[in-house]
Amino acid sequence: MEQRITLVTLGVSDLARAKGFYEALGWRGQEVEETVFFQAGGLGLVLWDRDELARDCGVEPGPVGGFGGIVLAHNVRSETEVDELLAAVRRAGGSVTKPAAVNAIGFYSSAFVDPDGHSWEVAYNPGFPLAADGSVTLPDFGGS
């Protein structure tokens, strides 16, 4: 398997609400056959009915809102951008779950959940500089 992720699909309980939330944050998506596709840098973020997504994966649907063990990360170019994004999240109906602050390893971060309980980290980390297109290249951490 090549080391690559092409799509991240979020199971949602109300497609129109979920689409509206991400659009309120400035994302633009395309609705296709009961899904919404967003171009997110070099990969796609997809919104799909959570029960349909579970069935498509051959698993039973789980409860909405519990921590699913996955956090999506959105790095920005300044601490101010972190704060501005959190304000937009609140206006759009998301919940900030961790206030913005310098964390234990020295960069400015926060966390929120979207209306379906999907967790996101928002961070300004000068050690992970963003290219002009928003992509990040992980630094060499010195390990093998």
Side-chain angles (χ1 to χ4, degrees):
M1 177 177 185
E2 292 180 36
Q3 193 165 311
R4 172 183 61 245
I5 297 173
T6 51
L7 296 173
V8 172
T9 304
L10 301 179
V12 300
S13 59
D14 181 328
L15 187 64
R17 181 192 67 195
K19 180 183 178 196
F21 173 78
Y22 287 98
E23 287 180 341
L25 299 182
W27 292 45
R28 294 294 165 250
Q30 300 177 65
E31 202 159 335
V32 180
E33 297 182 20
E34 299 178 11
T35 60
V36 178
F37 286 80
F38 296 95
Q39 186 67 51
L43 63 83
L45 180 77
V46 184
L47 306 177
W48 192 14
D49 178 84
R50 75 182 283 115
D51 291 341
E52 290 294 326
L53 178 59
R55 277 192 284 283
D56 189 61
C57 292
V59 299
E60 292 295 317
V64 175
F67 181 65
I70 295 175
V71 176
L72 303 169
H74 181 78
N75 283 38
V76 296
R77 292 178 174 84
S78 70
E79 291 182 8
T80 300
E81 280 188 67
V82 171
D83 297 334
E84 290 170 348
L85 181 53
L86 295 177
V89 163
R90 287 184 188 100
R91 287 191 304 271
S95 300
V96 174
T97 55
K98 183 179 95 174
V102 176
N103 65 20
I105 53 177
F107 63 88
Y108 193 70
S109 70
S110 178
F112 71 89
V113 294
D114 72 9
D116 285 284
H118 300 292
S119 297
W120 285 81
E121 176 191 43
V122 181
Y124 168 61
N125 182 345
F128 285 23
L130 298 179
D133 68 357
S135 63
V136 64
T137 299
L138 297 177
D140 180 355
F141 295 108
S144 17

